[in-house]
Amino acid sequence: MDTLTSVAPRKRGALNNDILKSLQTALTIAQAAQREPFVPQLTEMQLSAVFISSLLSDIAECHATLDTAFDADQEVKGSTQAEGTARARLKATIRRIQAAASQKYARDPENKHKLALFGMGINLDASRALLAQHAPGILSHLTDDSLPGLSAAFQEEAAQALTDWTAADSLQAAAQQTATQKRAEAQVQSKAITDRRIQVQYAIEGLYPHTLSENAAARAAFLLPKTRPFRG
């Protein structure tokens, strides 16, 4: 009964290969466990049909978790591009503000200190954190000061540039958090699946020891070594 043959993740190449291989191994063994004569034999070993069905269900759930992680990774890629575009626009806007502020105050000894209000001396290229910290304050001073060449329309454009970048940055962060969280969930799920898969294999090891040649087919169905004991 190959109930999960079509449950493989949609985008295997971009996902964690170790987990995927582990899930495929577990799927092969769980499907074998649903065949005769193994069903009653495993039931005698306290590995019931319900146990195997739960294992198959959890394999499917782990695949779904990995797909969600992949989708989030794809969203990170898209949002990273959008964030980069919005950030470049905001920084260009701030550079124009700083140029206008310098035009007004750079040669004015009494008011030169006001340049600091517009982020002069801060390397806003150093990190997004610095940009997020200082950009709102820089733009807020446009309403308190009349800088040359910066019209009301420019101020609206500047405010929109900040809004757009903040939104793009938040989307990127949320997608990255989802991707990281789902990969961690998949690792936990995979370990639980592997633990139960190994239980099944040890049960078959006891039922079909390698010392008897007629057990070779059964051992192969559960991916057990042909000529030596299974060691997990």
Side-chain angles (χ1 to χ4, degrees), residues 32-203:
Q34 292 184 311
R35 302 201 300 264
E36 295 295 340
F38 307 120
V39 173
Q41 292 175 336
L42 288 170
T43 298
E44 286 289 326
M45 302 294 288
Q46 300 181 8
L47 299 174
S48 67
V50 173
F51 178 93
I52 300 302
S53 177
S54 175
L55 179 58
L56 287 165
S57 177
D58 288 349
I59 292 169
E61 183 178 351
C62 189
H63 277 306
T65 301
L66 286 173
D67 277 345
T68 301
F70 176 84
D71 290 340
D73 282 333
Q74 294 301 104
E75 187 176 347
V76 169
K77 292 178 182 178
S79 60
T80 296
Q81 182 176 0
E83 185 276 333
T85 299
R87 177 158 39 100
R89 178 186 168 204
L90 176 60
K91 286 162 66 175
T93 298
I94 291 175
R95 284 194 296 270
R96 185 175 174 189
I97 293 170
Q98 290 175 333
S102 295
Q103 177 184 340
K104 184 173 183 179
Y105 296 120
R107 305 300 295 176
D108 181 353
E110 293 183 3
N111 293 297
K112 190 174 183 178
H113 65 279
K114 292 184 179 181
L115 291 175
L117 299 176
F118 298 98
M120 301 297 290
I122 299 171
N123 183 10
L124 298 179
D125 293 327
S127 69
R128 288 189 296 176
L130 276 176
L131 185 62
Q133 178 182 350
H134 294 284
I138 292 171
L139 268 61
S140 71
H141 291 299
L142 288 179
T143 60
D144 304 327
D145 202 334
S146 178
L147 297 181
L150 304 187
S151 63
F154 173 85
Q155 294 182 34
E156 292 179 3
E157 292 173 3
Q160 189 61 53
L162 177 60
T163 297
D164 292 346
W165 176 70
T166 300
D169 190 51
S170 296
L171 284 175
Q172 182 186 22
Q176 184 61 65
Q177 181 179 8
T178 296
T180 300
Q181 176 185 339
K182 290 301 178 181
R183 281 194 294 270
E185 286 180 16
Q187 289 177 341
V188 173
Q189 291 169 338
S190 177
K191 183 184 182 305
I193 289 166
T194 296
D195 289 344
R196 285 176 289 163
R197 178 263 291 175
I198 290 175
Q199 283 184 264
V200 176
Q201 287 179 292
Y202 271 124

